[in-house]
Amino acid sequence: MTAAAPCWTARVLTIFPEMFPGPLGLSLAGKALESGLWALETVDMRAFARDKHRSVDDTPFGGGPGMVMRPDVVDAAIAATADADTGDADAAPAIYLSPRGRLLTQSIVRELAARPSVTLLCGRYEGVDERVLAARQVDEISLGDFVLSGGEPAAIALIDAVVRLLPGVLGAPATLEEESFERGLLEYPHYTRPAEWQGRAVPEVLLSGHHERIRAWRRRQAEETTRARRPDLWTRYVAGLKNLDQAAAEEEGSKR
């Protein structure tokens, strides 16, 4: 029995292709990769270097420490792999994993999962020459306000986040609906056996078997956790509720 055609492809431009699949070859992502639910392509950017040393970087203009990835090398790598599914280089710009990019959110992950493929540019050294980023209209995405030694760990995290949303990867679709960020809230706390551990008991409501009470408790816990730990998310969540209430009121008024 042959595997089905992959529904989503991750193309990674890197000078360390041996870092892949790494953890993406294990657990759910690894099983999905093996069964053909998604595909991984790695492109060694050193193959596009123009000297015998396969140099991909050079010293920065204006001085300063470190090295910068050359625009000609990066451009050649992007050009050779740009949207290989359609041949249209403008259909899906490459994504550069960069601390100065827009923050990766679950909403963006869902957008990427809806594409047939993504091309991820993994920077090294001090970064990539700005001219190629502008010329190729590269989309910059950040995992957060911290710095990694290269874009590869960030690419692995982004791919993992997308793969778990692909059809057939998770057994129960309802699992995704209850996760953090899917409804604008952090996830509620979880408990399992034993019912009492080191003098700490599982909340009684979870043992009640009353599904409506359990659902209400979980929603309250999610709201309280979000309000305490992520006031930024809580503000957006409350604003969203107000907008829904206003829309409902306007719809009700139009029926009168």
Side-chain angles (χ1 to χ4, degrees):
M1 181 177 178
T2 58
C7 60
W8 189 78
T9 300
R11 222 169 271 114
V12 183
L13 280 55
T14 173
I15 62 172
F16 293 113
E18 60 274 17
M19 293 182 70
F20 296 86
L24 295 172
L26 305 173
S27 189
L28 289 173
K31 292 177 182 178
L33 181 61
E34 185 177 350
S35 62
L37 294 176
W38 69 287
L40 174 66
E41 300 174 6
T42 55
V43 178
D44 187 353
M45 287 194 287
R46 291 192 185 279
F48 300 91
R50 300 183 177 183
D51 63 352
K52 64 179 180 180
H53 301 294
R54 304 180 75 201
S55 303
V56 298
D57 60 312
D58 211 327
T59 55
F61 283 115
M67 306 288 278
V68 177
M69 296 188 75
R70 294 174 56 104
D72 52 346
V73 175
V74 173
D75 183 65
I78 294 176
T81 58
D83 208 15
D85 292 330
T86 66
D88 183 359
D90 296 325
I95 294 172
Y96 174 42
L97 286 312
S98 164
R100 70 179 195 178
R102 58 190 177 124
L103 185 65
L104 181 65
T105 63
Q106 193 67 11
S107 176
I108 294 175
V109 171
R110 286 194 296 268
E111 292 175 11
L112 298 180
R115 295 184 185 178
S117 65
V118 296
T119 298
L120 304 177
L121 171 60
C122 298
R124 282 274 160 174
Y125 316 114
E126 294 302 308
V128 174
D129 189 296
E130 187 70 21
R131 292 169 294 179
V132 68
L133 299 179
R136 287 285 173 181
Q137 297 183 323
V138 173
D139 184 10
E140 297 188 49
I141 291 180
S142 170
L143 259 60
D145 296 337
F146 55 91
V147 179
L148 298 169
S149 57
E152 289 80 9
I156 289 172
L158 184 150
I159 293 171
D160 182 82
V162 172
V163 166
R164 59 196 314 281
L165 296 185
L166 301 178
V169 175
L170 289 182
T175 300
L176 294 173
E177 297 175 5
E178 296 295 327
E179 291 181 330
S180 291
F181 310 116
E182 284 300 328
R183 297 182 179 179
L185 296 170
L186 298 179
E187 196 170 3
Y188 51 79
H190 296 276
Y191 300 87
T192 187
R193 293 182 177 86
E196 185 171 332
W197 175 76
Q198 294 189 359
R200 299 171 182 265
V202 172
E204 184 178 348
V205 65
L206 298 180
L207 306 176
S208 68
H210 195 295
H211 298 300
E212 286 302 321
R213 287 179 56 200
I214 291 172
R215 189 177 296 110
W217 179 88
R218 285 174 169 170
R219 172 53 67 95
R220 287 196 302 272
Q221 291 295 311
E223 290 177 342
E224 290 174 7
T225 300
T226 304
R227 184 170 55 246
R229 301 184 184 184
R230 290 291 303 274
D232 57 325
L233 288 179
W234 177 250
T235 299
R236 289 199 294 270
Y237 173 72
V238 171
L241 292 180
K242 290 180 179 178
N243 290 337
L244 288 176
D245 290 342
Q246 181 178 354
E250 292 175 352
E251 182 178 357
E252 182 65 25
S254 66
K255 295 178 180 178
R256 294 175 181 175

